[in-house]
């Protein structure tokens, strides 16, 4: 399971906390679900003709199973772009699943308000968190459900051997 964590570069503590929770869940689940986390920090940092952001966007659109957005204080245009790309991919392909965690502040930036407005416009919800420990708890709860749902899917596929063949052929193509 590939999870991209998006948010302001200043949210290093939050990204590290999310990675840590997902790593623990990956290591300790009895369902053998491997969770791999990605942020811009995991990608090559060399210059590229199209720009590094295009590589992140491609990953979100084509490879990520889940995208977690962390909003706290301010958000840049790049995160807004990533949200739009994830949303369009979700609408067209039902993937990636999107989670938005927002820490309310007294001074909400117009960019964060724009994301919140988009979420509301789409008839969706975001999850508020109060601090890093609360964020970790909310991530853990959400991804316990993800692992449980994946386990149920794997059991259904296992009970229908012909679906495994279709799944394997789909992965190869």
């Amino acid at each position: 399971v590939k999870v991209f964590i998006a948010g302001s570069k200043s949210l290093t503590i939050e990204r590290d906390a999310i990675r840590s929770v997902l790593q623990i869940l990956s290591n300790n689940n009895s369902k053998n679900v491997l969770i791999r986390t990605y942020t811009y920090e995991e990608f090559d940092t060399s210059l590229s003709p199209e720009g590094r952001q295009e590589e992140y966007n491609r990953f979100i659109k084509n490879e990520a199973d889940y995208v977690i957005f962390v909003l706290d204080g301010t958000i840049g245009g790049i995160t807004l772009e990533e949200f739009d790309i994830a949303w369009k991919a979700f609408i067209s392909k039902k993937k990636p699943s999107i989670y938005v965690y927002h820490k309310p502040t007294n001074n909400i930036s117009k960019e964060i308000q724009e994301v919140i407005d988009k979420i509301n416009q789409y008839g969706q919800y975001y999850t508020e968190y109060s601090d890093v420990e609360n964020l970790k708890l909310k991530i853990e709860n959400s991804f316990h459900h993800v692992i449980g749902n994946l386990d149920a899917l794997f059991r259904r596929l296992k009970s229908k051997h012909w679906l495994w063949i279709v799944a394997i052929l789909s992965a190869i193509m």
Side-chain angles (χ1 to χ4, degrees):
V1 175
K2 295 178 182 178
V3 180
F4 187 84
I5 306 166
S8 171
K9 284 184 179 183
S10 67
L11 298 176
T12 304
I13 293 170
E14 289 81 353
R15 279 193 308 280
D16 288 346
I18 293 169
R19 276 191 277 235
S20 142
V21 167
L22 294 178
Q23 184 63 50
I24 289 168
L25 287 174
S26 182
N27 291 342
N28 295 333
N29 74 76
S30 61
K31 316 299 185 205
N32 294 319
V33 175
L34 174 65
I35 301 171
R36 301 245 353 236
T37 59
Y38 300 84
T39 69
Y40 73 92
E41 296 141 322
E42 273 74 43
F43 290 82
D44 185 4
T45 58
S46 67
L47 301 181
S48 72
E50 58 189 4
R52 283 288 150 218
Q53 186 60 44
E54 188 55 37
E55 186 178 349
Y56 314 148
N57 294 348
R58 242 189 333 271
F59 181 85
I60 290 168
K61 183 170 44 176
N62 299 321
E63 294 186 48
D65 299 299
Y66 299 89
V67 180
I68 297 172
F69 289 90
V70 183
L71 310 177
D72 178 10
T74 62
I75 183 175
I78 290 172
T79 305
L80 285 172
E81 178 183 345
E82 290 169 346
F83 181 82
D84 287 337
I85 286 167
W87 180 255
K88 287 175 185 168
F90 174 72
I91 292 301
S92 67
K93 301 185 298 186
K94 305 296 182 235
K95 177 183 167 185
S97 292
I98 302 169
Y99 291 82
V100 179
Y101 297 90
H102 170 57
K103 181 178 179 183
T105 63
N106 291 335
N107 297 325
I108 188 167
S109 71
K110 72 177 182 91
E111 293 84 6
I112 287 183
Q113 189 61 54
E114 185 177 333
V115 171
I116 289 171
D117 290 345
K118 283 184 181 193
I119 291 168
N120 291 333
Q121 173 190 350
Y122 299 146
Q124 306 297 319
Y125 298 99
Y126 58 89
T127 302
E128 290 185 351
Y129 71 97
S130 56
D131 55 33
V132 172
E133 290 305 314
N134 185 246
L135 175 63
K136 288 166 62 174
L137 179 64
K138 291 181 185 244
I139 294 288
E140 182 178 359
N141 288 338
S142 294
F143 278 82
H144 268 301
H145 293 293
V146 166
I147 290 170
N149 291 340
L150 288 171
D151 181 54
L153 173 65
F154 293 152
R155 279 189 278 121
R156 281 195 310 271
L157 287 174
K158 194 173 183 179
S159 69
K160 299 176 181 174
H161 298 291
W162 63 271
L163 284 175
W164 272 107
I165 295 169
V166 171
I168 291 168
L169 290 175
S170 296
I172 292 171
M173 297 178 177

